[in-house]
């Protein structure tokens, strides 16, 4: 059972917009930034969004993040086949004194 | 180019020990907190441990506390994870990751896991 809750799966057709949610609590997302990672099997995870809504250089602006209260969201617009991957949210948890990840969301591009 | 290269994975019997290493290059190693994150077969990412740049402070997930020890040799740009009393549930790909720190309100924070290695596989089985 992950500290952060994500839907296990999401899907969309090319060109669509999809949103992945991440729910936490007052000790983690309620007081700390949200981070989003993309992970393709057999490769190193990659940071997509840092500090709630910032994109590293090289990450397309099709990816956007937001946070409100104890929840965060990752939105992917103009869905492409290469977006098919696992997506994880993460943050620091003040009560646990450690990093926590969501269980991951497997995105399928239909 | 910033790079992280893990090594040391392998097959270990339950109750055994193993030491993982992560060689860092392309950045001033001592400046950055470093973490270990693992992924068990068919499971999601799980944070294991973090060590700050100086090596003076470490953090551990409850699942490994008392069994795993993270350390670093800043003179050799190397991060290590000593794993003892290994269990079947420790079977996973272990990634080392660099943090991207930021400062706000007079405090500095570890920030995102911005660079990851390719991982090294640990199998705990008899």
């Amino acid at each position: 059972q992950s500290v952060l809750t994500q839907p296990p799966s999401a899907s969309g057709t090319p060109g669509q917009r999809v949103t992945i949610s991440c729910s936490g609590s007052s000790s983690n997302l309620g007081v700390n930034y949200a981070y989003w990672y993309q992970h393709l099997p057999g490769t190193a995870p990659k940071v997509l969004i840092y500090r709630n809504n910032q994109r590293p250089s090289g990450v397309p602006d099709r990816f956007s993040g937001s946070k409100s209260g104890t929840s965060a969201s990752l939105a992917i617009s103009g869905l492409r086949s290469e977006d098919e991957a696992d997506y994880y949210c993460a943050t620091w948890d003040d009560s646990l004194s450690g990093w926590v990840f969501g269980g991951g969301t497997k995105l399928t591009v239909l | 180019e910033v790079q992280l290269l893990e090594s040391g994975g392998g097959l270990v019997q339950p109750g055994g020990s193993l030491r993982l290493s992560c060689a860092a290059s392309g950045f001033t190693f001592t400046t950055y907190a470093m973490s270990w994150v693992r992924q068990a077969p068919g499971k999601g990412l799980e944070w294991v441990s973090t060590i700050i740049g100086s090596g003076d402070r470490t953090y551990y997930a409850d699942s490994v506390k008392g069994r795993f020890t993270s350390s670093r040799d800043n003179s050799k740009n190397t991060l290590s994870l000593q794993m003892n009393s290994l269990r079947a549930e420790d079977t996973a790909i272990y990634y080392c990751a660099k943090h991207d720190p930021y400062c706000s309100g007079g405090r500095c924070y570890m920030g995102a896991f911005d660079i990851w290695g390719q991982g090294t596989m640990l199998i705990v089985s008899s």
Side-chain angles (χ1 to χ4, degrees):
Chain A
Q1 198 82 343
S2 301
V3 173
L4 303 180
T5 301
Q6 296 179 236
S9 63
S11 63
T13 56
Q16 270 191 331
R17 172 186 165 97
V18 296
T19 302
I20 298 171
S21 62
C22 176
S23 178
S25 68
S26 58
S27 65
N28 45 65
L29 286 178
V31 290
N32 293 306
Y33 287 122
Y35 299 85
W36 289 92
Y37 299 89
Q38 180 189 58
H39 190 205
L40 291 99
T43 70
K46 169 187 171 183
V47 57
L48 280 180
I49 298 290
Y50 64 98
R51 281 183 254 160
N52 296 342
N53 54 20
Q54 303 298 302
R55 273 188 316 276
S57 60
V59 173
D61 59 6
R62 301 185 297 105
F63 294 90
S64 62
S66 64
K67 195 191 87 164
S68 178
T70 59
S71 294
S73 292
L74 172 71
I76 309 171
S77 59
L79 202 60
R80 302 175 67 158
S81 58
E82 57 259 40
D83 298 333
E84 196 162 276
D86 297 321
Y87 293 84
Y88 296 88
C89 59
T91 189
W92 180 263
D93 190 296
D94 286 357
S95 293
L96 297 174
S97 291
W99 290 93
V100 289
F101 282 90
T105 299
K106 184 175 183 61
L107 175 64
T108 301
V109 181
L110 302 169
Chain B
E1 180 190 3
V2 177
Q3 272 195 320
L4 298 172
L5 184 63
E6 302 94 338
S7 62
L11 174 63
V12 181
Q13 290 191 336
S17 298
L18 200 68
R19 188 179 186 88
L20 304 183
S21 295
C22 172
S25 60
F27 64 100
T28 305
F29 184 66
T30 190
T31 303
Y32 297 92
M34 299 290 296
S35 285
W36 291 96
V37 176
R38 67 185 180 184
Q39 184 178 36
K43 304 290 186 182
L45 298 177
E46 178 190 16
W47 170 75
V48 173
S49 177
T50 297
I51 184 168
I52 65 170
S54 65
D56 292 345
R57 183 175 290 182
T58 51
Y59 304 88
Y60 298 96
D62 286 345
S63 58
V64 306
K65 202 170 291 183
R67 301 187 299 122
F68 290 13
T69 302
S70 185
S71 62
R72 60 193 298 160
D73 184 338
N74 288 340
S75 69
K76 296 181 179 178
N77 292 353
T78 300
L79 172 72
S80 297
L81 185 68
Q82 177 65 40
M83 304 181 294
N84 300 329
S85 303
L86 284 164
R87 306 167 180 166
E89 53 265 36
D90 295 318
T91 295
I93 298 173
Y94 284 75
Y95 298 97
C96 67
K98 167 189 167 292
H99 284 274
D100 178 30
Y102 67 95
C103 298
S104 174
R107 284 187 61 186
C108 292
Y109 301 85
M110 283 181 262
F113 303 95
D114 67 332
I115 303 293
W116 299 65
Q118 290 297 313
T120 186
M121 183 74 199
L122 167 68
I123 299 173
V124 183
S125 174
S126 55

